[in-house]
Amino acid sequence: MSEDRVPHSADTFEFLEEDEFNWRDYAIEDYVTLVVFWLLAIDVFLQFFSRYVLGSSIAWTEEMARYLLVVVCFLGSAMAVRKGSHIAVEFFYRYMPGRVGLTMSTLVDIVRVIFFIAGSWITYKLADRTNAMMVSVDIPKSVIYYLVLVGFLLMLLRSIQAAIRHWREGTSELIFTEDDG
């Protein structure tokens, strides 16, 4: 070992304080998404275990993993809408004059609400017309479409809440205020 490197002792490590969990910081979609995610994790583990350890895979695990992943994505998107963490092009919000940025933010809020209304309506019509059953499980595929519809409706609700908040405050999460520098 070189002379300029000193081995670490237990005294040199700094321990970070643990974040405190406050259940009020989370909404119902967070908890439902967590449950569906763990169902997905168990399903994928069961698929891996049966295929590589037992040598014979369970037929329904692959199809269920695919559908559970879709449900996690749409419910997780509702979380992202609530937190305002979807990907956005922030250049225009940050570098345009305040009135232009605010107008663009309002336009984005309106387009987002319209998009989620359209997505909800299309998903509802698709679920209503789907009569097929899943291949390996005796469950109608329309159940998955209805769960996607729930995700769209939650995204619509959260985007309406965000739009109302933006209109009341006269700002958006993407617009810097004068104090932000």
Side-chain angles (χ1 to χ4, degrees):
M1 184 159 82
S2 83
E3 295 176 18
D4 58 332
R5 293 181 59 193
V6 179
H8 292 286
S9 68
D11 298 336
T12 61
F13 289 111
E14 295 180 24
F15 293 99
L16 299 175
E17 292 184 29
E18 291 185 28
D19 290 335
E20 291 185 26
F21 175 78
N22 186 357
W23 64 273
R24 291 183 193 125
D25 293 340
Y26 301 94
I28 186 70
E29 62 264 25
D30 298 336
Y31 296 109
V32 173
T33 303
L34 181 65
V35 168
V36 175
F37 175 79
W38 277 105
L39 289 173
L40 173 63
I42 291 167
D43 180 66
V44 170
F45 175 77
L46 186 60
Q47 181 182 15
F48 171 81
F49 184 80
S50 66
R51 179 175 291 165
Y52 295 108
V53 176
L54 300 179
S56 175
S57 65
I58 302 171
W60 57 267
T61 56
E62 182 179 348
E63 185 177 21
M64 289 309 298
R66 187 178 321 122
Y67 293 135
L68 288 171
L69 183 61
V70 168
V71 173
V72 164
C73 288
F74 279 91
L75 293 178
S77 291
M79 291 172 21
V81 170
R82 188 187 81 248
K83 293 179 179 181
S85 61
H86 270 134
I87 296 172
V89 180
E90 299 177 13
F91 173 80
F92 295 108
Y93 293 101
R94 292 178 188 237
Y95 298 111
M96 293 292 177
R99 180 57 67 191
V100 174
L102 184 58
T103 302
M104 291 178 73
S105 172
T106 302
L107 183 63
V108 166
D109 286 338
I110 292 169
V111 169
R112 181 175 50 204
V113 168
I114 291 170
F115 175 80
F116 290 139
I117 288 171
S120 298
W121 177 252
I122 291 168
T123 305
Y124 170 73
K125 295 305 273 181
L126 181 64
D128 194 40
R129 293 180 183 174
T130 301
N131 298 323
M133 301 294 278
M134 292 182 192
V135 174
S136 59
V137 183
D138 230 9
I139 299 173
K141 280 187 179 179
S142 62
V143 170
I144 300 302
Y145 293 126
Y146 282 119
L147 291 172
V148 169
L149 174 62
V150 168
F152 265 119
L153 291 173
L154 282 170
M155 287 185 274
L156 174 62
L157 173 71
R158 297 303 184 185
S159 65
I160 290 171
Q161 289 173 338
I164 291 170
R165 185 178 64 247
H166 296 162
W167 294 333
R168 283 185 182 162
E169 296 173 358
T171 186
S172 170
E173 290 99 1
L174 300 175
I175 300 174
F176 282 122
T177 62
E178 296 292 328
D179 298 334
D180 291 334

